[in-house]
Amino acid sequence: MNPAADHSPTLATKSDIASFLLREFPQTKCTVVDVGHRSATVRHAIGSAELRPGGTVSGPVLVAVADVALYVAILGEIGLVPLAVTTSLSINFLRKPAADAAIVGTCRLMKVGKSLIVGEVDLYSEGLEEPVAHAVGTYSVPPRPASDAA
Amino acid sequence: MNPAADHSPTLATKSDIASFLLREFPQTKCTVVDVGHRSATVRHAIGSAELRPGGTVSGPVLVAVADVALYVAILGEIGLVPLAVTTSLSINFLRKPAADAAIVGTCRLMKVGKSLIVGEVDLYSEGLEEPVAHAVGTYSVPPRPASDAA
Amino acid sequence: MNPAADHSPTLATKSDIASFLLREFPQTKCTVVDVGHRSATVRHAIGSAELRPGGTVSGPVLVAVADVALYVAILGEIGLVPLAVTTSLSINFLRKPAADAAIVGTCRLMKVGKSLIVGEVDLYSEGLEEPVAHAVGTYSVPPRPASDAA
Amino acid sequence: MNPAADHSPTLATKSDIASFLLREFPQTKCTVVDVGHRSATVRHAIGSAELRPGGTVSGPVLVAVADVALYVAILGEIGLVPLAVTTSLSINFLRKPAADAAIVGTCRLMKVGKSLIVGEVDLYSEGLEEPVAHAVGTYSVPPRPASDAA
């Protein structure tokens, strides 16, 4: 079996990842919607704690969703590795999020290297078509026994 | 008086800004330490709510401190403008923050333009010399009557 | 007619843009391959001038292709506006480019605002499937008479 | 001797680095002005080849200067390592550069880790006080025998 093949199963199931996420990020309000090949979707309910006056979802909440979406996609790709850490994250805020909709983040990994993984995340107000923000992040991961990585 | 001159006073005092911040970011735990010419320092106490397992301050907390440091420096520069919004933020995580120290963010504005303001923020675990993270952010600000901006 | 509608024609044709590009970026070696709705593809031939020892395409060449791809997509969207200027660009280098293949950049605009336009660019070694780099850039554009922009 | 100590000499002299740079980046027009502890200054003469219509130094030229400034600072810190490669670079363009002045880039390394080095670069039109651009870049470096790195 080649875990790097394009239609390979993820190395951890969605429910494995959801449990692991709760242990590693106990404060997160994100839930795992989907984990696929080099991809993941997560969702974060929005309530008054996440809003600024005027009904804007605060930037750090969007960053947190992007970070979790990347982490979930990485766990699906390389297994339940507790030592993956974010090394950089950049985000562009594109539109005002809806005050009454959850934030959904969809991640696509662009590079799965031996020690660095890079991915991008589109962030949406649930139900709307245009993204509210776009993030690119890099994780550093511990060396793995075997990989297609470069 | 020319508010753009290099030794001009800030357009809003530290205590004006602290009150304004509480209104605009009611959830923030950041306090304003200092506001200077094109600069600001803010502080965020760290407790169990901000830690991940292993005692790491979570990335989105560092982003939030960077964002507030930028906002405070901008308010000091252009006055209490409620419509300033973050358009982009990028952060590099440099070292593991201490689990038992506050996070301090010091911002320096690099460009104060008519519609865009760009600044950088060094983030520290209070009492340690080397930064734990470094951020660069851009705010979009509403047009102002008079300015040296470009 | 609404130039912002999803199936609208671009505001400038591919050949208009190619001529304009030669005037504005006389040093560029990029050619315009395609201009679509909020998108563009450009191509840059690679010769010894663009290679570093070891046969790597130099980073600034990839940046230049990303910048031109963004510019071409913007011209297609808002017309031949000479005053569009890059305000920020971030790039992640993902894989070693081929030494003997052109670089192709495909841009997708994520936000077309009144004064800021944000887009992303995938950069490829021509003929290969995985991107060699990924860039996100922001352009500042002069105010326009009518627009769907926010 | 501990090469990581705060007042240690650089691991390679300015003239070692200048020769090495010419070998590794034969096309670069940058010259090495200074190499210090976790820092470097480089200079790039500006002529008509680097200008766009209107007398603006092109963005990719500024990126190239930032990239070389980072590389030179890294060589000073870890020695003449040919396999250091840029993994990411982000730049904010702050002011229009002068058409008739060289570009000077001053780099400060913020993290010198085992495998990742992160630095920032201020870019100036020679003789002017305010920076024309600011960049942050990350290099991946091959493992080294001994280091204070994390």
mmCIF file with all atom_site columns, all heavy atoms in Angstrom, chain B residues 10 17 34-42 68-79 107-109 112 117:
data_model
loop_
_atom_site.group_PDB
_atom_site.id
_atom_site.type_symbol
_atom_site.label_atom_id
_atom_site.label_alt_id
_atom_site.label_comp_id
_atom_site.label_asym_id
_atom_site.label_entity_id
_atom_site.label_seq_id
_atom_site.pdbx_PDB_ins_code
_atom_site.Cartn_x
_atom_site.Cartn_y
_atom_site.Cartn_z
_atom_site.occupancy
_atom_site.B_iso_or_equiv
_atom_site.pdbx_formal_charge
_atom_site.auth_seq_id
_atom_site.auth_comp_id
_atom_site.auth_asym_id
_atom_site.auth_atom_id
_atom_site.pdbx_PDB_model_num
ATOM 1   N N   . THR B 1 10  ? 0.791   61.572 20.251 1.00 0.00 ? 10  THR B N   1
ATOM 2   C CA  . THR B 1 10  ? -0.187  60.715 19.591 1.00 0.00 ? 10  THR B CA  1
ATOM 3   C C   . THR B 1 10  ? -1.510  61.455 19.564 1.00 0.00 ? 10  THR B C   1
ATOM 4   O O   . THR B 1 10  ? -1.754  62.352 20.358 1.00 0.00 ? 10  THR B O   1
ATOM 5   C CB  . THR B 1 10  ? -0.335  59.392 20.348 1.00 0.00 ? 10  THR B CB  1
ATOM 6   O OG1 . THR B 1 10  ? -0.775  59.684 21.670 1.00 0.00 ? 10  THR B OG1 1
ATOM 7   C CG2 . THR B 1 10  ? 1.000   58.668 20.406 1.00 0.00 ? 10  THR B CG2 1
ATOM 8   N N   . ILE B 1 17  ? -7.446  55.377 24.443 1.00 0.00 ? 17  ILE B N   1
ATOM 9   C CA  . ILE B 1 17  ? -7.367  54.182 23.605 1.00 0.00 ? 17  ILE B CA  1
ATOM 10  C C   . ILE B 1 17  ? -7.812  52.955 24.393 1.00 0.00 ? 17  ILE B C   1
ATOM 11  O O   . ILE B 1 17  ? -8.534  52.096 23.877 1.00 0.00 ? 17  ILE B O   1
ATOM 12  C CB  . ILE B 1 17  ? -5.937  54.019 23.056 1.00 0.00 ? 17  ILE B CB  1
ATOM 13  C CG1 . ILE B 1 17  ? -5.642  55.149 22.054 1.00 0.00 ? 17  ILE B CG1 1
ATOM 14  C CG2 . ILE B 1 17  ? -5.763  52.654 22.394 1.00 0.00 ? 17  ILE B CG2 1
ATOM 15  C CD1 . ILE B 1 17  ? -4.211  55.204 21.570 1.00 0.00 ? 17  ILE B CD1 1
ATOM 16  N N   . ASP B 1 34  ? 1.608   50.844 26.491 1.00 0.00 ? 34  ASP B N   1
ATOM 17  C CA  . ASP B 1 34  ? 2.241   52.082 26.059 1.00 0.00 ? 34  ASP B CA  1
ATOM 18  C C   . ASP B 1 34  ? 1.798   52.417 24.639 1.00 0.00 ? 34  ASP B C   1
ATOM 19  O O   . ASP B 1 34  ? 1.560   51.524 23.825 1.00 0.00 ? 34  ASP B O   1
ATOM 20  C CB  . ASP B 1 34  ? 3.769   51.895 26.073 1.00 0.00 ? 34  ASP B CB  1
ATOM 21  C CG  . ASP B 1 34  ? 4.492   53.228 25.939 1.00 0.00 ? 34  ASP B CG  1
ATOM 22  O OD1 . ASP B 1 34  ? 4.011   54.214 26.522 1.00 0.00 ? 34  ASP B OD1 1
ATOM 23  O OD2 . ASP B 1 34  ? 5.523   53.264 25.251 1.00 0.00 ? 34  ASP B OD2 1
ATOM 24  N N   . VAL B 1 35  ? 1.693   53.713 24.348 1.00 0.00 ? 35  VAL B N   1
ATOM 25  C CA  . VAL B 1 35  ? 1.411   54.174 22.983 1.00 0.00 ? 35  VAL B CA  1
ATOM 26  C C   . VAL B 1 35  ? 2.391   55.294 22.687 1.00 0.00 ? 35  VAL B C   1
ATOM 27  O O   . VAL B 1 35  ? 2.486   56.248 23.466 1.00 0.00 ? 35  VAL B O   1
ATOM 28  C CB  . VAL B 1 35  ? -0.029  54.733 22.848 1.00 0.00 ? 35  VAL B CB  1
ATOM 29  C CG1 . VAL B 1 35  ? -0.322  55.072 21.397 1.00 0.00 ? 35  VAL B CG1 1
ATOM 30  C CG2 . VAL B 1 35  ? -1.044  53.741 23.380 1.00 0.00 ? 35  VAL B CG2 1
ATOM 31  N N   . GLY B 1 36  ? 3.142   55.162 21.607 1.00 0.00 ? 36  GLY B N   1
ATOM 32  C CA  . GLY B 1 36  ? 4.117   56.194 21.276 1.00 0.00 ? 36  GLY B CA  1
ATOM 33  C C   . GLY B 1 36  ? 3.961   56.624 19.843 1.00 0.00 ? 36  GLY B C   1
ATOM 34  O O   . GLY B 1 36  ? 2.944   56.358 19.197 1.00 0.00 ? 36  GLY B O   1
ATOM 35  N N   . HIS B 1 37  ? 4.967   57.295 19.330 1.00 0.00 ? 37  HIS B N   1
ATOM 36  C CA  . HIS B 1 37  ? 4.921   57.714 17.938 1.00 0.00 ? 37  HIS B CA  1
ATOM 37  C C   . HIS B 1 37  ? 5.024   56.491 17.026 1.00 0.00 ? 37  HIS B C   1
ATOM 38  O O   . HIS B 1 37  ? 6.048   55.812 17.005 1.00 0.00 ? 37  HIS B O   1
ATOM 39  C CB  . HIS B 1 37  ? 6.068   58.678 17.633 1.00 0.00 ? 37  HIS B CB  1
ATOM 40  C CG  . HIS B 1 37  ? 6.110   59.031 16.185 1.00 0.00 ? 37  HIS B CG  1
ATOM 41  N ND1 . HIS B 1 37  ? 5.064   59.650 15.555 1.00 0.00 ? 37  HIS B ND1 1
ATOM 42  C CD2 . HIS B 1 37  ? 7.046   58.800 15.238 1.00 0.00 ? 37  HIS B CD2 1
ATOM 43  C CE1 . HIS B 1 37  ? 5.353   59.804 14.287 1.00 0.00 ? 37  HIS B CE1 1
ATOM 44  N NE2 . HIS B 1 37  ? 6.551   59.295 14.067 1.00 0.00 ? 37  HIS B NE2 1
ATOM 45  N N   . ARG B 1 38  ? 3.963   56.225 16.308 1.00 0.00 ? 38  ARG B N   1
ATOM 46  C CA  . ARG B 1 38  ? 3.918   55.077 15.390 1.00 0.00 ? 38  ARG B CA  1
ATOM 47  C C   . ARG B 1 38  ? 4.297   53.770 16.094 1.00 0.00 ? 38  ARG B C   1
ATOM 48  O O   . ARG B 1 38  ? 4.926   52.885 15.482 1.00 0.00 ? 38  ARG B O   1
ATOM 49  C CB  . ARG B 1 38  ? 4.837   55.300 14.185 1.00 0.00 ? 38  ARG B CB  1
ATOM 50  C CG  . ARG B 1 38  ? 4.367   56.489 13.351 1.00 0.00 ? 38  ARG B CG  1
ATOM 51  C CD  . ARG B 1 38  ? 4.949   56.483 11.964 1.00 0.00 ? 38  ARG B CD  1
ATOM 52  N NE  . ARG B 1 38  ? 4.317   57.550 11.188 1.00 0.00 ? 38  ARG B NE  1
ATOM 53  C CZ  . ARG B 1 38  ? 4.544   57.795 9.914  1.00 0.00 ? 38  ARG B CZ  1
ATOM 54  N NH1 . ARG B 1 38  ? 5.403   57.034 9.267  1.00 0.00 ? 38  ARG B NH1 1
ATOM 55  N NH2 . ARG B 1 38  ? 3.929   58.762 9.292  1.00 0.00 ? 38  ARG B NH2 1
ATOM 56  N N   . SER B 1 39  ? 3.949   53.645 17.348 1.00 0.00 ? 39  SER B N   1
ATOM 57  C CA  . SER B 1 39  ? 4.313   52.434 18.086 1.00 0.00 ? 39  SER B CA  1
ATOM 58  C C   . SER B 1 39  ? 3.342   52.195 19.224 1.00 0.00 ? 39  SER B C   1
ATOM 59  O O   . SER B 1 39  ? 2.607   53.111 19.634 1.00 0.00 ? 39  SER B O   1
ATOM 60  C CB  . SER B 1 39  ? 5.725   52.570 18.642 1.00 0.00 ? 39  SER B CB  1
ATOM 61  O OG  . SER B 1 39  ? 5.754   53.583 19.618 1.00 0.00 ? 39  SER B OG  1
ATOM 62  N N   . ALA B 1 40  ? 3.321   50.970 19.707 1.00 0.00 ? 40  ALA B N   1
ATOM 63  C CA  . ALA B 1 40  ? 2.471   50.629 20.842 1.00 0.00 ? 40  ALA B CA  1
ATOM 64  C C   . ALA B 1 40  ? 2.968   49.331 21.454 1.00 0.00 ? 40  ALA B C   1
ATOM 65  O O   . ALA B 1 40  ? 3.599   48.513 20.781 1.00 0.00 ? 40  ALA B O   1
ATOM 66  C CB  . ALA B 1 40  ? 1.020   50.448 20.394 1.00 0.00 ? 40  ALA B CB  1
ATOM 67  N N   . THR B 1 41  ? 2.661   49.171 22.742 1.00 0.00 ? 41  THR B N   1
ATOM 68  C CA  . THR B 1 41  ? 2.942   47.914 23.438 1.00 0.00 ? 41  THR B CA  1
ATOM 69  C C   . THR B 1 41  ? 1.673   47.477 24.150 1.00 0.00 ? 41  THR B C   1
ATOM 70  O O   . THR B 1 41  ? 1.025   48.291 24.818 1.00 0.00 ? 41  THR B O   1
ATOM 71  C CB  . THR B 1 41  ? 4.079   48.097 24.463 1.00 0.00 ? 41  THR B CB  1
ATOM 72  O OG1 . THR B 1 41  ? 5.244   48.571 23.776 1.00 0.00 ? 41  THR B OG1 1
ATOM 73  C CG2 . THR B 1 41  ? 4.414   46.786 25.167 1.00 0.00 ? 41  THR B CG2 1
ATOM 74  N N   . VAL B 1 42  ? 1.331   46.201 23.971 1.00 0.00 ? 42  VAL B N   1
ATOM 75  C CA  . VAL B 1 42  ? 0.162   45.650 24.673 1.00 0.00 ? 42  VAL B CA  1
ATOM 76  C C   . VAL B 1 42  ? 0.587   44.368 25.390 1.00 0.00 ? 42  VAL B C   1
ATOM 77  O O   . VAL B 1 42  ? 1.646   43.796 25.102 1.00 0.00 ? 42  VAL B O   1
ATOM 78  C CB  . VAL B 1 42  ? -1.020  45.367 23.715 1.00 0.00 ? 42  VAL B CB  1
ATOM 79  C CG1 . VAL B 1 42  ? -1.429  46.628 22.962 1.00 0.00 ? 42  VAL B CG1 1
ATOM 80  C CG2 . VAL B 1 42  ? -0.689  44.244 22.743 1.00 0.00 ? 42  VAL B CG2 1
ATOM 81  N N   . VAL B 1 68  ? -4.178  43.347 18.088 1.00 0.00 ? 68  VAL B N   1
ATOM 82  C CA  . VAL B 1 68  ? -4.506  44.453 18.995 1.00 0.00 ? 68  VAL B CA  1
ATOM 83  C C   . VAL B 1 68  ? -3.347  45.453 19.075 1.00 0.00 ? 68  VAL B C   1
ATOM 84  O O   . VAL B 1 68  ? -3.562  46.670 19.100 1.00 0.00 ? 68  VAL B O   1
ATOM 85  C CB  . VAL B 1 68  ? -4.893  43.909 20.388 1.00 0.00 ? 68  VAL B CB  1
ATOM 86  C CG1 . VAL B 1 68  ? -4.996  45.046 21.407 1.00 0.00 ? 68  VAL B CG1 1
ATOM 87  C CG2 . VAL B 1 68  ? -6.228  43.162 20.306 1.00 0.00 ? 68  VAL B CG2 1
ATOM 88  N N   . ALA B 1 69  ? -2.118  44.966 19.076 1.00 0.00 ? 69  ALA B N   1
ATOM 89  C CA  . ALA B 1 69  ? -0.968  45.890 19.125 1.00 0.00 ? 69  ALA B CA  1
ATOM 90  C C   . ALA B 1 69  ? -0.976  46.819 17.906 1.00 0.00 ? 69  ALA B C   1
ATOM 91  O O   . ALA B 1 69  ? -0.735  48.028 18.021 1.00 0.00 ? 69  ALA B O   1
ATOM 92  C CB  . ALA B 1 69  ? 0.337   45.100 19.193 1.00 0.00 ? 69  ALA B CB  1
ATOM 93  N N   . LEU B 1 70  ? -1.266  46.252 16.747 1.00 0.00 ? 70  LEU B N   1
ATOM 94  C CA  . LEU B 1 70  ? -1.371  47.071 15.532 1.00 0.00 ? 70  LEU B CA  1
ATOM 95  C C   . LEU B 1 70  ? -2.490  48.099 15.663 1.00 0.00 ? 70  LEU B C   1
ATOM 96  O O   . LEU B 1 70  ? -2.323  49.278 15.324 1.00 0.00 ? 70  LEU B O   1
ATOM 97  C CB  . LEU B 1 70  ? -1.683  46.179 14.325 1.00 0.00 ? 70  LEU B CB  1
ATOM 98  C CG  . LEU B 1 70  ? -0.510  45.486 13.662 1.00 0.00 ? 70  LEU B CG  1
ATOM 99  C CD1 . LEU B 1 70  ? -0.993  44.273 12.876 1.00 0.00 ? 70  LEU B CD1 1
ATOM 100 C CD2 . LEU B 1 70  ? 0.197   46.472 12.716 1.00 0.00 ? 70  LEU B CD2 1
ATOM 101 N N   . TYR B 1 71  ? -3.629  47.637 16.142 1.00 0.00 ? 71  TYR B N   1
ATOM 102 C CA  . TYR B 1 71  ? -4.806  48.503 16.248 1.00 0.00 ? 71  TYR B CA  1
ATOM 103 C C   . TYR B 1 71  ? -4.521  49.671 17.187 1.00 0.00 ? 71  TYR B C   1
ATOM 104 O O   . TYR B 1 71  ? -4.845  50.824 16.896 1.00 0.00 ? 71  TYR B O   1
ATOM 105 C CB  . TYR B 1 71  ? -5.975  47.653 16.740 1.00 0.00 ? 71  TYR B CB  1
ATOM 106 C CG  . TYR B 1 71  ? -7.327  48.303 16.656 1.00 0.00 ? 71  TYR B CG  1
ATOM 107 C CD1 . TYR B 1 71  ? -7.868  48.680 15.430 1.00 0.00 ? 71  TYR B CD1 1
ATOM 108 C CD2 . TYR B 1 71  ? -8.091  48.517 17.800 1.00 0.00 ? 71  TYR B CD2 1
ATOM 109 C CE1 . TYR B 1 71  ? -9.132  49.255 15.354 1.00 0.00 ? 71  TYR B CE1 1
ATOM 110 C CE2 . TYR B 1 71  ? -9.349  49.087 17.728 1.00 0.00 ? 71  TYR B CE2 1
ATOM 111 C CZ  . TYR B 1 71  ? -9.872  49.451 16.502 1.00 0.00 ? 71  TYR B CZ  1
ATOM 112 O OH  . TYR B 1 71  ? -11.120 50.023 16.429 1.00 0.00 ? 71  TYR B OH  1
ATOM 113 N N   . VAL B 1 72  ? -3.888  49.375 18.318 1.00 0.00 ? 72  VAL B N   1
ATOM 114 C CA  . VAL B 1 72  ? -3.592  50.417 19.307 1.00 0.00 ? 72  VAL B CA  1
ATOM 115 C C   . VAL B 1 72  ? -2.602  51.433 18.722 1.00 0.00 ? 72  VAL B C   1
ATOM 116 O O   . VAL B 1 72  ? -2.767  52.651 18.871 1.00 0.00 ? 72  VAL B O   1
ATOM 117 C CB  . VAL B 1 72  ? -3.063  49.784 20.610 1.00 0.00 ? 72  VAL B CB  1
ATOM 118 C CG1 . VAL B 1 72  ? -2.474  50.844 21.536 1.00 0.00 ? 72  VAL B CG1 1
ATOM 119 C CG2 . VAL B 1 72  ? -4.194  49.015 21.304 1.00 0.00 ? 72  VAL B CG2 1
ATOM 120 N N   . ALA B 1 73  ? -1.578  50.956 18.039 1.00 0.00 ? 73  ALA B N   1
ATOM 121 C CA  . ALA B 1 73  ? -0.615  51.883 17.426 1.00 0.00 ? 73  ALA B CA  1
ATOM 122 C C   . ALA B 1 73  ? -1.307  52.766 16.387 1.00 0.00 ? 73  ALA B C   1
ATOM 123 O O   . ALA B 1 73  ? -1.021  53.962 16.266 1.00 0.00 ? 73  ALA B O   1
ATOM 124 C CB  . ALA B 1 73  ? 0.532   51.101 16.782 1.00 0.00 ? 73  ALA B CB  1
ATOM 125 N N   . ILE B 1 74  ? -2.243  52.184 15.633 1.00 0.00 ? 74  ILE B N   1
ATOM 126 C CA  . ILE B 1 74  ? -2.969  52.957 14.613 1.00 0.00 ? 74  ILE B CA  1
ATOM 127 C C   . ILE B 1 74  ? -3.857  54.007 15.260 1.00 0.00 ? 74  ILE B C   1
ATOM 128 O O   . ILE B 1 74  ? -3.902  55.164 14.822 1.00 0.00 ? 74  ILE B O   1
ATOM 129 C CB  . ILE B 1 74  ? -3.771  51.996 13.697 1.00 0.00 ? 74  ILE B CB  1
ATOM 130 C CG1 . ILE B 1 74  ? -2.804  51.184 12.834 1.00 0.00 ? 74  ILE B CG1 1
ATOM 131 C CG2 . ILE B 1 74  ? -4.776  52.756 12.844 1.00 0.00 ? 74  ILE B CG2 1
ATOM 132 C CD1 . ILE B 1 74  ? -3.439  50.021 12.105 1.00 0.00 ? 74  ILE B CD1 1
ATOM 133 N N   . LEU B 1 75  ? -4.562  53.632 16.331 1.00 0.00 ? 75  LEU B N   1
ATOM 134 C CA  . LEU B 1 75  ? -5.410  54.609 17.020 1.00 0.00 ? 75  LEU B CA  1
ATOM 135 C C   . LEU B 1 75  ? -4.561  55.763 17.548 1.00 0.00 ? 75  LEU B C   1
ATOM 136 O O   . LEU B 1 75  ? -4.969  56.929 17.489 1.00 0.00 ? 75  LEU B O   1
ATOM 137 C CB  . LEU B 1 75  ? -6.154  53.944 18.178 1.00 0.00 ? 75  LEU B CB  1
ATOM 138 C CG  . LEU B 1 75  ? -7.160  52.843 17.811 1.00 0.00 ? 75  LEU B CG  1
ATOM 139 C CD1 . LEU B 1 75  ? -7.784  52.269 19.082 1.00 0.00 ? 75  LEU B CD1 1
ATOM 140 C CD2 . LEU B 1 75  ? -8.246  53.341 16.868 1.00 0.00 ? 75  LEU B CD2 1
ATOM 141 N N   . GLY B 1 76  ? -3.368  55.453 18.058 1.00 0.00 ? 76  GLY B N   1
ATOM 142 C CA  . GLY B 1 76  ? -2.484  56.512 18.544 1.00 0.00 ? 76  GLY B CA  1
ATOM 143 C C   . GLY B 1 76  ? -2.048  57.444 17.420 1.00 0.00 ? 76  GLY B C   1
ATOM 144 O O   . GLY B 1 76  ? -1.815  58.633 17.627 1.00 0.00 ? 76  GLY B O   1
ATOM 145 N N   . GLU B 1 77  ? -1.983  56.894 16.222 1.00 0.00 ? 77  GLU B N   1
ATOM 146 C CA  . GLU B 1 77  ? -1.490  57.672 15.086 1.00 0.00 ? 77  GLU B CA  1
ATOM 147 C C   . GLU B 1 77  ? -2.586  58.481 14.405 1.00 0.00 ? 77  GLU B C   1
ATOM 148 O O   . GLU B 1 77  ? -2.369  59.614 14.004 1.00 0.00 ? 77  GLU B O   1
ATOM 149 C CB  . GLU B 1 77  ? -0.863  56.693 14.072 1.00 0.00 ? 77  GLU B CB  1
ATOM 150 C CG  . GLU B 1 77  ? -0.040  57.320 13.001 1.00 0.00 ? 77  GLU B CG  1
ATOM 151 C CD  . GLU B 1 77  ? 1.184   58.076 13.512 1.00 0.00 ? 77  GLU B CD  1
ATOM 152 O OE1 . GLU B 1 77  ? 1.664   57.743 14.608 1.00 0.00 ? 77  GLU B OE1 1
ATOM 153 O OE2 . GLU B 1 77  ? 1.614   59.027 12.839 1.00 0.00 ? 77  GLU B OE2 1
ATOM 154 N N   . ILE B 1 78  ? -3.766  57.869 14.249 1.00 0.00 ? 78  ILE B N   1
ATOM 155 C CA  . ILE B 1 78  ? -4.796  58.562 13.452 1.00 0.00 ? 78  ILE B CA  1
ATOM 156 C C   . ILE B 1 78  ? -6.022  58.945 14.279 1.00 0.00 ? 78  ILE B C   1
ATOM 157 O O   . ILE B 1 78  ? -6.967  59.504 13.744 1.00 0.00 ? 78  ILE B O   1
ATOM 158 C CB  . ILE B 1 78  ? -5.224  57.732 12.214 1.00 0.00 ? 78  ILE B CB  1
ATOM 159 C CG1 . ILE B 1 78  ? -5.999  56.478 12.626 1.00 0.00 ? 78  ILE B CG1 1
ATOM 160 C CG2 . ILE B 1 78  ? -4.027  57.376 11.344 1.00 0.00 ? 78  ILE B CG2 1
ATOM 161 C CD1 . ILE B 1 78  ? -6.628  55.736 11.444 1.00 0.00 ? 78  ILE B CD1 1
ATOM 162 N N   . GLY B 1 79  ? -6.011  58.633 15.561 1.00 0.00 ? 79  GLY B N   1
ATOM 163 C CA  . GLY B 1 79  ? -7.165  58.965 16.397 1.00 0.00 ? 79  GLY B CA  1
ATOM 164 C C   . GLY B 1 79  ? -8.141  57.802 16.490 1.00 0.00 ? 79  GLY B C   1
ATOM 165 O O   . GLY B 1 79  ? -7.934  56.745 15.887 1.00 0.00 ? 79  GLY B O   1
ATOM 166 N N   . CYS B 1 107 ? 4.527   46.961 18.767 1.00 0.00 ? 107 CYS B N   1
ATOM 167 C CA  . CYS B 1 107 ? 4.247   47.262 17.362 1.00 0.00 ? 107 CYS B CA  1
ATOM 168 C C   . CYS B 1 107 ? 4.985   48.511 16.904 1.00 0.00 ? 107 CYS B C   1
ATOM 169 O O   . CYS B 1 107 ? 5.104   49.489 17.645 1.00 0.00 ? 107 CYS B O   1
ATOM 170 C CB  . CYS B 1 107 ? 2.753   47.503 17.189 1.00 0.00 ? 107 CYS B CB  1
ATOM 171 S SG  . CYS B 1 107 ? 2.330   48.039 15.524 1.00 0.00 ? 107 CYS B SG  1
ATOM 172 N N   . ARG B 1 108 ? 5.468   48.446 15.674 1.00 0.00 ? 108 ARG B N   1
ATOM 173 C CA  . ARG B 1 108 ? 6.076   49.591 14.999 1.00 0.00 ? 108 ARG B CA  1
ATOM 174 C C   . ARG B 1 108 ? 5.373   49.737 13.652 1.00 0.00 ? 108 ARG B C   1
ATOM 175 O O   . ARG B 1 108 ? 5.366   48.794 12.855 1.00 0.00 ? 108 ARG B O   1
ATOM 176 C CB  . ARG B 1 108 ? 7.572   49.277 14.779 1.00 0.00 ? 108 ARG B CB  1
ATOM 177 C CG  . ARG B 1 108 ? 8.338   50.289 13.953 1.00 0.00 ? 108 ARG B CG  1
ATOM 178 C CD  . ARG B 1 108 ? 9.828   49.917 13.868 1.00 0.00 ? 108 ARG B CD  1
ATOM 179 N NE  . ARG B 1 108 ? 10.090  48.819 12.949 1.00 0.00 ? 108 ARG B NE  1
ATOM 180 C CZ  . ARG B 1 108 ? 10.461  48.948 11.659 1.00 0.00 ? 108 ARG B CZ  1
ATOM 181 N NH1 . ARG B 1 108 ? 10.614  50.145 11.147 1.00 0.00 ? 108 ARG B NH1 1
ATOM 182 N NH2 . ARG B 1 108 ? 10.688  47.889 10.905 1.00 0.00 ? 108 ARG B NH2 1
ATOM 183 N N   . LEU B 1 109 ? 4.790   50.904 13.414 1.00 0.00 ? 109 LEU B N   1
ATOM 184 C CA  . LEU B 1 109 ? 4.138   51.123 12.117 1.00 0.00 ? 109 LEU B CA  1
ATOM 185 C C   . LEU B 1 109 ? 5.205   51.478 11.083 1.00 0.00 ? 109 LEU B C   1
ATOM 186 O O   . LEU B 1 109 ? 6.061   52.333 11.317 1.00 0.00 ? 109 LEU B O   1
ATOM 187 C CB  . LEU B 1 109 ? 3.108   52.249 12.227 1.00 0.00 ? 109 LEU B CB  1
ATOM 188 C CG  . LEU B 1 109 ? 1.968   51.991 13.223 1.00 0.00 ? 109 LEU B CG  1
ATOM 189 C CD1 . LEU B 1 109 ? 0.987   53.160 13.208 1.00 0.00 ? 109 LEU B CD1 1
ATOM 190 C CD2 . LEU B 1 109 ? 1.239   50.683 12.919 1.00 0.00 ? 109 LEU B CD2 1
ATOM 191 N N   . VAL B 1 112 ? 2.211   54.679 7.178  1.00 0.00 ? 112 VAL B N   1
ATOM 192 C CA  . VAL B 1 112 ? 0.912   55.229 7.532  1.00 0.00 ? 112 VAL B CA  1
ATOM 193 C C   . VAL B 1 112 ? 0.417   55.953 6.284  1.00 0.00 ? 112 VAL B C   1
ATOM 194 O O   . VAL B 1 112 ? 0.769   57.110 6.040  1.00 0.00 ? 112 VAL B O   1
ATOM 195 C CB  . VAL B 1 112 ? 1.008   56.180 8.745  1.00 0.00 ? 112 VAL B CB  1
ATOM 196 C CG1 . VAL B 1 112 ? -0.363  56.753 9.083  1.00 0.00 ? 112 VAL B CG1 1
ATOM 197 C CG2 . VAL B 1 112 ? 1.591   55.443 9.950  1.00 0.00 ? 112 VAL B CG2 1
ATOM 198 N N   . ILE B 1 117 ? -2.395  51.064 6.289  1.00 0.00 ? 117 ILE B N   1
ATOM 199 C CA  . ILE B 1 117 ? -1.354  51.208 7.308  1.00 0.00 ? 117 ILE B CA  1
ATOM 200 C C   . ILE B 1 117 ? -0.713  49.835 7.505  1.00 0.00 ? 117 ILE B C   1
ATOM 201 O O   . ILE B 1 117 ? -1.418  48.825 7.608  1.00 0.00 ? 117 ILE B O   1
ATOM 202 C CB  . ILE B 1 117 ? -1.949  51.740 8.625  1.00 0.00 ? 117 ILE B CB  1
ATOM 203 C CG1 . ILE B 1 117 ? -2.534  53.147 8.368  1.00 0.00 ? 117 ILE B CG1 1
ATOM 204 C CG2 . ILE B 1 117 ? -0.912  51.762 9.737  1.00 0.00 ? 117 ILE B CG2 1
ATOM 205 C CD1 . ILE B 1 117 ? -3.064  53.846 9.605  1.00 0.00 ? 117 ILE B CD1 1
#
